[in-house]
Amino acid sequence: MIPATLPVPLEFRLPEAWSPANLDQVDTPGVAFAAVHPEPDNGFAANITIDGEYRLDEATLTEIAEESVLRMRELDGSLVVLHRKEAGSGEAPALTQTLRFSTVTGGVHRDLVQIQVYLVMLDVHDASKRAVIRLALTAAANQIDSVLGDFQDFVSTVRPDSGSK
């Protein structure tokens, strides 16, 4: 599988001990970047993914987040939205949502939690071009608390790539 590309280049810093994943070996359609935690929980490795797209419509971040929920419910009808909150500012809106769902991976039933952060980035040359970036942490329900701080640290480092490297 060919990894997706992001509508805007990003720079970020992975938390210590996390490693970039080989997207050719992971079934992650639409994902441009993935990283995995070094200590799997009962065989499931917590992971961070990044994807994004240009949105030419006027959909709000809440509507975009709900689209994600509906897509995921097609795979697991028991998916529950535990939390959703708008954040950021008028110039840089953001939204977070926490989802709980179940899946079978490696022949094992797993209860998972996914925390999604949606960020809006406007094209500096054309403000009508709105990119929506989704950062997601997926972990076993009993591991989420131990990796949440890493994810929060990661999110705080994500910004448009200035190209100054």
Side-chain angles (χ1 to χ4, degrees), residues 61-128:
L61 284 180
T62 299
E63 291 167 337
I64 293 168
E66 189 59 29
E67 289 172 5
S68 178
V69 167
L70 294 175
R71 280 191 305 275
M72 290 179 70
R73 272 204 184 116
E74 291 177 6
L75 302 174
D76 176 19
S78 69
L79 180 137
V80 175
V81 178
L82 299 174
H83 175 78
R84 182 180 288 155
K85 180 181 178 185
E86 291 187 32
S89 66
E91 296 80 36
L95 180 139
T96 62
Q97 71 178 2
T98 304
L99 313 173
R100 184 181 66 222
F101 59 100
S102 298
T103 190
V104 175
T105 58
V108 177
H109 176 269
R110 301 179 192 284
D111 292 322
L112 302 176
V113 173
Q114 184 173 87
I115 298 171
Q116 300 176 338
V117 176
Y118 291 85
L119 307 172
V120 172
M121 297 181 182
L122 299 179
D123 187 303
V124 294
H125 303 292
D126 182 355
S128 70

Side-chain angles (χ1 to χ4, degrees), residues 6 8-15 19-20 32-35 48-50 133 135 153-162 165:
L6 292 172
V8 293
L10 298 178
E11 58 182 53
F12 53 85
R13 190 176 64 254
L14 277 179
S19 302
F33 178 82
I48 294 172
T49 58
I50 305 173
I133 305 298
L135 314 170
D153 291 346
F154 166 74
V155 170
S156 73
T157 70
V158 175
R159 58 191 34 81
D161 188 344
S162 63
K165 293 179 185 177

